[in-house]
């Protein structure tokens, strides 16, 4: 695979793309350069959100599976029962020190952290939009409120409320 | 890869040895890894909650 470098380079699993698209906020991923997804992840996204990638409005780089994955990832994938998309994403990410790995899956996150990636999910990306001036605090609260009704992202209601209150307190809303 | 060192009660360790000796697992490591995998499979929600809290901190106060 060619060496890919970028200040905010990220490898993205299907979850954040699907969940942000459900919220109409896929543009929040445009802040990551380059944004890489594997072909299996692309297939997963197309299966759940057929038009998400076409209507993204920013460049998403498709990458081929790197094989073999190396012993660490091989063991991690078996131990954590990672699916093919997660495995492909992590095999790309482990070649890029300090890269963001964006996922909403706990097991994939565990593996990503083990491999030295900066791992974050949909909630973090949404909140980050405030400090990156991509959304106002009010807009972010609005997005958080829409999560239960508009998305397939599972979040305990009390935890979501806690996050919403934290944002409101942080920005005096 | 991290190595974890922990104490296991004698009786529990006896059960581990018994499963390995009777051929259900190749060795103790395999059994413990399987047990850990199953635990993680059934505790993803708790793990996710912890990760989400970390994500909130990064989202609001991170530097990157």
């Amino acid at each position: 695979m060619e060496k890919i470098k970028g200040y905010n380079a990220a490898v993205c699993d299907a979850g954040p793309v699907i969940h942000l698209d459900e919220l109409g906020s896929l543009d929040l991923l445009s802040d990551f350069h380059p944004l890489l997804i594997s072909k299996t992840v692309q297939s997963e996204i197309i299966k759940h959100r057929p038009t998400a990638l076409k209507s993204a409005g920013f460049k998403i780089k498709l990458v081929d599976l790197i094989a073999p994955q190396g012993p660490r990832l091989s063991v991690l994938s078996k131990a954590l029962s990672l699916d093919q998309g997660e495995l492909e994403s992590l095999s790309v990410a482990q070649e890029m020190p300090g890269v963001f790995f964006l996922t909403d899956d706990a097991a994939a996150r565990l593996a990503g952290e083990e491999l030295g990636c900066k791992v974050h999910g949909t909630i973090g990306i949404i909140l980050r939009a405030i400090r990156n001036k991509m959304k106002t605090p009010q807009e972010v609260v609005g997005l958080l409120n829409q999560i239960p009704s508009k998305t397939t992202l599972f979040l305990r209601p009390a935890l979501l409320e806690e996050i919403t209150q934290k944002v409101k307190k942080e920005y005096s809303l | 890869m991290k190595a974890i060192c922990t104490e296991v009660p004698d009786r529990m360790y006896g059960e581990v040895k018994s499963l390995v000796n009777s051929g259900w697992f190749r060795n103790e490591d395999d059994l413990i890894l399987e047990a850990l995998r199953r635990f993680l499979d059934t505790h993803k929600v708790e793990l996710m909650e912890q990760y989400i809290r970390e994500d909130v901190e990064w989202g609001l106060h991170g530097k990157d």
Side-chain angles (χ1 to χ4, degrees):
Chain A
M1 183 188 140
E2 63 181 300
K3 287 284 179 192
I4 299 170
K5 291 182 179 176
Y7 174 67
N8 273 340
V11 179
C12 196
D13 196 11
V17 174
I18 292 169
H19 300 140
L20 288 171
D21 188 56
E22 288 169 336
L23 286 170
S25 296
L26 199 55
D27 61 305
L28 298 186
L29 291 175
S30 67
D31 198 37
F32 296 95
H33 304 283
L35 182 69
L36 311 171
I37 64 169
S38 77
K39 290 189 173 169
T40 298
V41 168
Q42 178 197 31
S43 300
E44 288 174 25
I45 294 166
I46 289 171
K47 183 179 170 189
H48 296 284
R49 304 289 294 177
T51 61
L53 295 175
K54 284 180 187 169
S55 59
F58 57 92
K59 193 176 178 186
I60 296 173
K61 187 175 176 66
L62 280 179
V63 287
D64 287 320
L65 169 66
I66 302 169
Q69 296 89 22
R72 291 179 76 202
L73 182 52
S74 178
V75 171
L76 282 168
S77 70
K78 287 173 188 163
L80 297 171
S81 302
L82 300 181
D83 67 27
Q84 185 62 23
E86 292 156 354
L87 186 59
E88 288 182 14
S89 298
L90 284 165
S91 73
V92 174
Q94 71 173 353
E95 297 292 314
M96 303 169 66
V99 72
F100 285 102
F101 174 47
L102 307 176
T103 183
D104 286 322
D105 183 87
R109 181 164 185 152
L110 200 60
E113 289 183 344
E114 180 67 22
L115 294 170
C117 302
K118 297 181 286 189
V119 193
H120 299 290
T122 298
I123 294 294
I125 296 165
I126 291 171
L127 298 186
R128 178 177 179 267
I130 302 174
R131 60 181 167 87
N132 281 7
K133 313 266 186 253
M134 297 175 84
K135 298 278 182 196
T136 65
Q138 290 90 341
E139 286 172 330
V140 162
V141 168
L143 289 177
L144 293 173
N145 288 338
Q146 291 173 42
I147 284 175
S149 59
K150 278 193 157 184
T151 79
T152 49
L153 177 64
F154 172 73
L155 213 52
R156 191 165 60 80
L159 178 60
L160 182 58
E161 177 60 21
E162 186 184 319
I163 295 166
T164 305
Q165 291 305 323
K166 193 173 176 71
V167 174
K168 285 181 175 176
K169 186 178 176 188
E170 192 94 7
Y171 293 94
S172 305
L173 299 179
Chain B
M1 199 67 148
K2 294 278 191 292
I4 300 172
C5 182
T6 188
E7 291 189 353
V8 179
D10 291 342
R11 185 174 171 182
M12 188 183 289
Y13 183 66
E15 292 175 4
V16 169
K17 290 292 286 182
S18 175
L19 278 167
V20 173
N21 291 341
S22 56
W24 287 100
F25 293 88
R26 282 186 304 173
N27 51 46
E28 294 166 21
D29 287 358
D30 276 5
L31 186 154
I32 290 165
L33 206 54
E34 174 70 4
L36 186 58
R37 186 187 65 76
R38 290 185 182 210
F39 180 92
L40 290 173
D41 274 349
T42 55
H43 289 74
K44 280 185 177 174
V45 173
E46 288 81 356
L47 198 58
M48 210 61 228
E49 181 157 329
Q50 177 194 322
Y51 285 151
I52 286 170
R53 290 183 193 281
E54 291 172 8
D55 244 11
V56 170
E57 279 311 303
W58 171 72
L60 291 174
H61 306 121
K63 303 291 181 197
D64 52 15

